[in-house]
Each structure stands twice: as C-alpha cells, then as structure tokens.
Amino acid sequence: MDLTLPASLMSGPSNLTVVFGSSDGGYANRNRIDESLPFDPTLPLITDLKNGGRLFVWLGGTVLPTSVQPSGAYNATIVLTVAYTGN
Amino acid sequence: MKQFTAFLGAAVAVAIGLSLAPARVSAQASITATAVVEPALTVNAGNDLEFGSVLPGFMKTIAVSDATAGTFDLAGAAGAEVNFTFSALPSDLTFGANNLPITYTGVHNTVNDPITGATSFTPSAGDTTPLHGTTGELYVFLGGTVDATGSPPAGTYTGTVTLTGAYTGN
C-alpha cells in the first residue's frame, strides 16, 4: 500500500503547506478507528487483509498556514495505490 | 562437478518459481484533502476615548455606554475564538511633563451595543471570547476615569491605547 501525498494544498496560485507525521496514518481490518494501528503514510506499508479481505485506512495531517495566508479553500489529491505482494 | 550440478538445480528452481508467480496487479483510489483558510483577524480603531473638559480638583468618568467611550472592532472568521489585550494602556495621560492618572473599564459584545448582551472585562487583562457566529465581529468598548484631584496644570492630556487581537486557534 502506497500513498501519494501532496506537500501543499492549493487555492489558485496560493499554497498551504501540509505535513504528514510518522503516525498520521492508521489501518485496521474493521472500520473501527479505535482498533487502528498507526503507520507512517510517507512510507509504503505491507500488511495482511486477514479475515473478510478488507482493510480500512485513515489519514490525518497538519496544515501550516502562515500568518498572512490568503483565505480560501485549499485542496489537493491524495492517491492510494495497493497491490498484492503475492504472499 | 557435483557441486556444480547442485548449483544448476537451484537456478532452475528459481526460474520456475518466477514463471509461476501471478502478475502483480495494483489498484488505486483518490481522495481530496481540503482545508478552508479563514480570513485573517483584523482590528479597527473606532471612536477615541474622549473625556472632554475636566475640572481641576475633580474626577471625570466616561462610561462604556457613553457616546464618547473608546471603541474598537475586530473582524474575522465567524465563531472563532480570539484573545485581545491592550498592548498599550497608559496609566497616565500626559501633557508635556505633566501626568493625569487614568483608570479604565471595558465591555465587549459581538454586536455594536455596549449594554445589551455585553460582557465586562478588565482592560488591563484583556479577554478571550468568540467572534460573532455569523458576522465574525467583536466590538470592544472602553470607558475610564481621569483623576484631576491633584489639580494638574491646564492643558490637553493624551495617551495612546492600542488593542491587539489574535485567534486562539479554537
């Protein structure tokens, strides 16, 4: 599992720095965030689907607006790519 | 020679393993990360705090609800909490080398009304409060009392009052 993460969110020509910490990712085999295990979303993750064949992924992050950050709605796309390892 | 044969056997096994492995297929999905940056907080000076004529030997008070009370207004993100303090709040008005002691009273309100719904605060401490939930406004009213009982020399006494506001992040 690999996340393609933006370094900033955009609003027109303005950008807003976004950072993802080493425990900002979470994953679990059920849709229960309280059961999730943290992972570093900047690094690939290998895990098992286990029973049910499902995996739920949560992603947090921190935006760092400057004191003169132009107001507006900033966004960016996050892509999750998954593949069987063959194991 | 035996040793060489064994090596070949291993090589063949690896080749077979590779040929039988399933093709690596990946899947992909996207989400959007969104953050709405609210407007920066602004602080505007309104009315000056005007005591007008003050008689020697007397005190004079301007209430926060008086027409000559000092006013400021803050504007920013609706409902956001702000902290404001008076970064300059002189204890004396001055006229040359002469001082005129002054004390202050304050109220704030999310509408432009120093009475109905207004909250008192201690000007020397400032306060933390939310901006209006819809308009994003906060009005600060400043009254005070000047003490001329010491019979200061006649003249126009002044001082600068500066209000500084900032989002708390809440």
Side-chain angles (χ1 to χ4, degrees):
Chain A
M1 182 175 80
D2 200 10
L3 283 160
T4 303
L5 301 171
S8 59
L9 310 184
M10 302 300 297
S11 176
S14 303
N15 61 52
L16 172 62
T17 300
V18 59
V19 294
F20 299 93
S22 60
S23 59
D24 277 347
Y27 68 98
N29 293 107
R30 295 199 299 170
N31 191 8
R32 291 280 302 272
I33 195 168
D34 57 314
E35 295 179 356
S36 68
L37 297 173
F39 73 98
D40 186 341
T42 65
L43 301 174
L45 174 71
I46 296 175
T47 187
D48 302 326
L49 296 180
K50 292 192 170 56
N51 294 338
R54 303 182 77 179
L55 188 71
F56 295 85
V57 179
W58 291 267
L59 179 66
T62 303
V63 289
L64 304 171
T66 68
S67 59
V68 294
Q69 189 77 43
S71 60
Y74 292 72
N75 57 63
T77 299
I78 293 167
V79 181
L80 175 72
T81 303
V82 296
Y84 289 120
T85 64
N87 296 325
Chain B
M1 183 63 185
K2 188 174 182 181
Q3 193 171 30
F4 179 69
T5 303
F7 173 74
L8 280 179
V12 170
V14 169
I16 291 171
L18 287 174
S19 66
L20 293 178
R24 184 181 171 90
V25 179
S26 64
Q28 215 172 54
S30 301
I31 60 173
T32 300
T34 302
V36 178
V37 176
E38 299 286 359
L41 183 67
T42 61
V43 181
N44 301 302
N47 300 331
D48 290 332
L49 173 56
E50 293 274 6
F51 288 92
S53 296
V54 180
L55 298 175
F58 291 86
M59 301 175 80
K60 186 168 185 179
T61 296
I62 299 296
V64 292
S65 56
D66 287 346
T68 61
T71 63
F72 296 88
D73 62 271
L74 296 80
E81 185 182 77
V82 296
N83 172 261
F84 67 87
T85 57
F86 288 100
S87 49
L89 192 66
S91 56
D92 295 282
L93 305 184
T94 59
F95 169 59
N98 305 299
N99 291 340
L100 182 64
I102 180 172
T103 57
Y104 302 91
T105 56
V107 299
H108 60 75
N109 201 346
T110 54
V111 294
N112 191 5
D113 186 337
I115 301 172
T116 304
T119 300
S120 297
F121 70 96
T122 303
S124 59
D127 206 357
T128 299
T129 187
L131 301 176
H132 190 282
T134 303
T135 66
E137 294 179 331
L138 182 72
Y139 296 85
V140 178
F141 303 86
L142 187 66
T145 299
V146 288
D147 182 359
T149 55
S151 296
T156 300
Y157 290 71
T158 61
T160 300
V161 175
T162 304
L163 185 145
T164 300
Y167 288 123
T168 65
N170 295 326

